[in-house]
Amino acid sequence: MELHRLTIQQLAGELAKGQLSSRQATEHLFQRIERHDPAIHGYLELHQDAALAQADRIDKRRSKGETLGPLAGVPLAIKDNICISHGRTTCASKILGNFQAPYEAHVVQALNAADAVILGKTNLDEFAMGASTENSGFGVTRNPWNLQTVPGGSSGGSAAVVAADLAYAALGSDTGGSIRQPAAFCSVVGLKPTYGRVSRYGLVAFGSSLDQIGPIAKTIPDLALLLNIIAGHDRRDSTSADLEVGDYLANLDKPVKPLRIGVAGEYFQEGLDKEIAQAVRQALDFYASLGAEIVDISMPLNKYALAVYYIVATAEASSNLARYDGVRYGYRDKDPKDYIDMYYTSRAHGFGAEVKRRIMLGTYTLSAGYYDAYYLKALKVRTLIRQDFDKAFEQVDCIAGPVTPTPPFRLGEKIDDPLTLYLSDVYTVMANLTGLPAISIPCGFSSAGLPIGLQLTTKAFSEELLLRIARMFEQATDYHLQKPKLQS
Amino acid sequence: MIQKNVTSLGYRPTIGLEIHVELSTASKMFCACPNHFGDPPNTNVCPVCLGMPGVLPTMNRQAYEYAVLMALALNCRIAEFTKWDRKGYYYPDLPKNYQISQYDLPLGSDGYIDLLVNGQTKRIGITRAHLEEDAGKNVHDLPDCTGVDLNRAGVPLLEIVSEPDLNCVEEVMAYARSMRQLVRYLGISQANMQQGHMRFEPNISLWIFDDSEPDGGHYTPIIEVKNLNSFRSLERTVAFEIARQAEEWQADPHGYRMDKMSKQNRGWDDVREVTVYQRHKEEADEYRYFPEPDLLPVEIDDAWLERIKAQLPELPIARYARFREEFGLDEKLTTLLTSERTTADYFEAVIQAGASPRRAANLIQSQGMRLANEKGTDVAELGISPQRLAQLCKLTDDDTVSASAAATIFQAMLESDAPPEKIASERNLMQVSDTSALESIVAQVLADNAKAVADYKSGGKKAKKARSFLLGQVMQKSKGQANPKVVGELIDREVLGQT
């Protein structure tokens, strides 16, 4: 098999055998990036020198027979809203266009400790706000399956480079579906862990109570391996859970039996693409054929999820993004009249339209006189939604459904219609509102040859179960083995 | 007394005070940076307190315990469950453009403090006490720009809000000083005014007595003055505002009232010593408070609360009462001795070591406090152990040394570790109480001053003066070492034949 097609596990095996060096693998990917990424634009910045130096270090240590980490020499990509202490961390925003983080995110430290090689930073919707990666301040990313369609977002760059074999895996972040939706659009696997499973330290905040870092990979075992490395308590993140983390690889291939899968009728109503509905139904039939019990459940509050999400997320965002003011770092407009003017013009010119829209929405809902009607009400509904799920999990082990209402849409198709674009998140925001872990796995293709994803959700901190259920499907199907045809 | 006075003026000042106290924890509220004043700008900073992208706060537990300790000392109800909130406003010294604070669930509420004002106790209600992070400082004295120093950004700040129970300048000052005394007693803040550890924000209005109104009067519009950082400016601000509002009311008795005019912010001009109009507060400030999603709520269980309670020392007002009763000291001396916990502790240690309270109090007040003041330290830090001071007290009490010699010895003890008795003998400061040694001097003096002896003996108008004169002569001849009491007895015996 071609070198870039390998999974992390396969590559790690080759490297361990000494058949291949990390430098060879890393150079190979940089060559491939050079050939294919101009059309896709998944990367915002490449860390060629640092990556090759790290690859050499690992090769040298390997040749000395040293014990190496589980990702030794494996080249990966990082979404550009996760801080690395070299290069820039821009969040695809002009306001952080030249920002160099003076510190490293917890997950980056964890990858370094596992001896991974970091290729560079991937594109996203500005500050992770969007579902198409069209909101990037530095150019759109295209879907490797069809360059006229979007890769999803906001982790569109990460999903696209994994799909196009321009990285063996990538980290993304998920606030309302930003890992799962692009994973579905690009036919790769993506996991949003339970809120608190992975430290957010070093993830540039969008919606603090919703944000979670997670892996995007080619296979479930690769996801499990990455989660093994990034999960766990971190004192620097008060919301990270002080719970033991198991070995997600240990029992991965063991099917879950008995298995009860809940399906909510609300997920299959108006707005869902027919081909997606069909693919998801087929996936459920498949689970049934493996002996799973498919249980009808009800999610009556589903209809409020999107509204609640857009209130909570924008409120938190309006506060989180207040710090970008041109005072200490980032973009500052030239020759402001006074400091107020400096705020106005730096923020007016530094932020893109969608970010400004969300800041305004959030500012509005947090304002005196509106707080109770919007933010407080949203928090209450959020609690009720969580209770809905708790109740459902008394009956079932897992809830299944679509990831997206539509297949990947054309570039520019929805960008001027924010509300329609917001509807892309309709199936994914629940996991963020509830904090539950959720995964997107490939489950088919549309008649136009575009990827379709299946979403699975389980109880909080039950990623082990979630990955095993997903693995059952992956082992018996070959959707994840199909690859986009790239033109060079 | 005070009440009566102002009633006769036709109004009663009604004042509430907000106090911000910087807590003296080793590190900042939400990061590990040193909480230290006076370092070069932007040296005690890290990505967290600089508000870099992607950083997260972590709570300083010590700061929380300090704050709870103060709330306990203020007899507050301690919230079992509190959370953090973000208070949003844009200012260059606020790195995140929101301040982490406590909005609707303060850690302490509904407390009180008892003040001693003019010998009387007055109870002042405490509305709430909550914890937040301090902002940095804008630096305006640079040649061509404004700088921002973020060393102070993130320092734990305790905000204490009083009820509008203060009715005169004296009460405001007693309240403010009691708060300073209290935080220093608790050891939770140095409360160093020069370093900005305490800032005051009074809310001032006047209650105008008017029997013709249904409520028996009305208030003048509330004036809030922000950021006063000395007792002096607080005192002058409050005095100025009371007078200014009284004038406004007299000029416009029907218009200048709270129900017709909104709240106003004024600033204190330290040079002109006046308050200056800043803005009207037409409605509540727009801070867009919401719960801080990056921090977990704080839940205090009984065990934790008990551990904090165990750290509560005897509070100043209780100590004052006990000193008065147990040691029979007067108000002034007791106030001095209890003003600082270290002084009061030292005083008690001296008594423990065997000194009489009165002598110990007098020496600490007359010598200790004076010398400590000169050296810019406090009495307990002078280097005189309670045991040595107790020895000196005993030497003075049993007339081994005179009161004036005791002062000299006290001072000498700063430079020497020797016991006071040794210092006294080395410097010839022991009193001569041995009658046989004094008898010859007395005889000599009486022989040389027949006139005075006669005056004394006559018992007339001049007798008292004559006796003092003779005593002085003996003291002089003994080079001050004679015990005046013994000398007096000898003179009386020789001249009057008394024993």
Side-chain angles (χ1 to χ4, degrees), chain B residues 177-192:
Chain B
R177 289 185 202 282
S178 293
M179 285 293 175
R180 178 168 188 273
Q181 180 189 38
L182 194 52
V183 295
R184 289 176 59 85
Y185 255 71
L186 300 176
I188 62 171
S189 173
Q190 291 156 9
N192 182 322

Side-chain angles (χ1 to χ4, degrees), chain B residues 234-256:
Chain B
L234 174 65
E235 186 167 20
R236 294 187 182 207
T237 297
V238 173
F240 181 86
E241 265 307 310
I242 291 171
R244 194 191 63 77
Q245 290 183 35
E247 264 177 46
E248 290 238 31
W249 159 61
Q250 273 150 6
D252 181 12
H254 301 293
Y256 192 69

Side-chain angles (χ1 to χ4, degrees), chain A residues 174-380:
Chain A
D174 191 317
T175 306
S178 280
I179 286 174
R180 291 158 288 153
Q181 187 254 18
F185 275 12
C186 294
S187 201
V188 289
V189 292
L191 171 71
K192 182 202 88 75
T194 311
Y195 186 79
R197 178 92 288 182
V198 178
S199 168
R200 292 184 292 120
Y201 189 81
L203 168 66
V204 180
F206 160 17
S208 308
S209 73
L210 306 157
D211 295 340
Q212 191 65 190
I213 294 172
I216 293 173
K218 298 175 187 179
T219 65
I220 299 294
D222 283 1
L223 273 192
L225 174 57
L226 286 165
L227 188 61
N228 272 351
I229 287 154
I230 61 172
H233 181 56
D234 173 19
R235 281 177 51 205
R236 295 170 298 185
D237 176 1
S238 307
T239 64
S240 90
D242 195 0
L243 293 172
E244 211 178 304
V245 178
D247 179 356
Y248 297 111
L249 274 170
N251 296 311
L252 190 60
D253 289 338
K254 215 170 114 191
V256 178
K257 270 180 190 168
L259 173 61
R260 295 163 304 169
I261 297 179
V263 179
E266 288 87 350
Y267 291 171
F268 291 89
Q269 287 165 6
E270 198 197 328
L272 179 63
D273 179 270
K274 280 197 189 110
E275 290 183 312
I276 293 180
Q278 197 183 356
V280 172
R281 294 273 184 215
Q282 274 172 10
L284 291 169
D285 289 346
F286 168 78
Y287 274 108
S289 75
L290 291 181
E293 183 190 347
I294 308 297
V295 182
D296 284 330
I297 57 167
S298 178
M299 290 282 160
L301 296 173
N302 189 55
K303 57 180 180 233
Y304 302 118
L306 212 53
V308 169
Y309 171 78
Y310 273 95
I311 288 169
V312 174
T314 57
E316 293 181 0
S318 71
S319 169
N320 285 330
L321 272 61
R323 70 188 61 192
Y324 308 112
D325 55 9
V327 175
R328 284 145 293 123
Y329 51 78
Y331 177 76
R332 183 193 290 181
D333 221 44
K334 280 199 179 66
D335 303 321
K337 288 199 293 284
D338 51 33
Y339 82 88
I340 302 281
D341 190 45
M342 176 177 74
Y343 289 154
Y344 281 149
T345 56
S346 301
R347 288 168 68 82
H349 299 143
F351 288 133
E354 180 60 25
V355 170
K356 282 188 268 193
R357 178 180 296 120
R358 296 199 193 193
I359 290 173
M360 284 191 284
L361 283 170
T363 304
Y364 180 81
T365 56
L366 286 180
S367 295
Y370 299 100
Y371 179 87
D372 289 2
Y374 291 106
Y375 191 76
L376 194 62
K377 175 80 73 63
L379 288 191
K380 287 176 181 168

Side-chain angles (χ1 to χ4, degrees), chain A residues 381-400:
Chain A
V381 180
R382 189 177 180 181
T383 305
L384 294 175
I385 290 174
R386 178 67 197 251
Q387 288 169 1
D388 251 15
F389 274 82
D390 287 345
K391 230 164 69 193
F393 282 123
E394 285 169 13
Q395 302 172 56
V396 298
D397 306 298
C398 170
I399 296 171

Side-chain angles (χ1 to χ4, degrees), chain A residues 3-82:
Chain A
L3 180 51
H4 52 267
R5 297 274 316 254
L6 301 177
T7 65
I8 292 178
Q9 285 194 318
Q10 289 164 340
L11 175 66
E14 296 295 311
L15 292 171
K17 275 187 276 177
Q19 301 293 315
L20 181 69
S21 70
S22 174
R23 173 171 266 274
Q24 281 173 305
T26 306
E27 274 183 342
H28 177 75
L29 284 201
F30 276 124
Q31 282 159 16
R32 195 172 156 79
I33 289 165
E34 202 179 325
R35 191 158 77 239
H36 295 293
D37 201 48
I40 296 167
H41 191 48
Y43 282 100
L44 286 180
E45 184 172 84
L46 294 172
H47 296 170
Q48 203 143 355
D49 294 343
L52 290 171
Q54 166 75 348
D56 287 342
R57 255 193 314 275
I58 301 300
D59 289 336
K60 199 166 166 193
R61 284 174 54 201
R62 196 188 300 278
S63 69
K64 284 188 192 161
E66 284 182 31
T67 309
L68 297 171
L71 290 174
V74 175
L76 306 172
I78 308 287
K79 188 178 181 180
D80 200 25
N81 60 350
I82 296 172

Side-chain angles (χ1 to χ4, degrees), chain B residues 206-221:
Chain B
L206 307 182
W207 174 256
I208 308 293
F209 294 98
D210 183 349
D211 291 338
S212 70
E213 296 196 44
D215 297 333
H218 65 267
Y219 285 110
T220 58

Side-chain angles (χ1 to χ4, degrees), chain B residues 446-458 462 466 469-470:
Chain B
L446 295 182
D448 291 351
N449 297 284
K451 172 84 170 66
V453 173
D455 284 347
Y456 182 33
K457 219 172 196 169
S458 74
K462 293 175 179 170
F469 171 77
L470 293 169

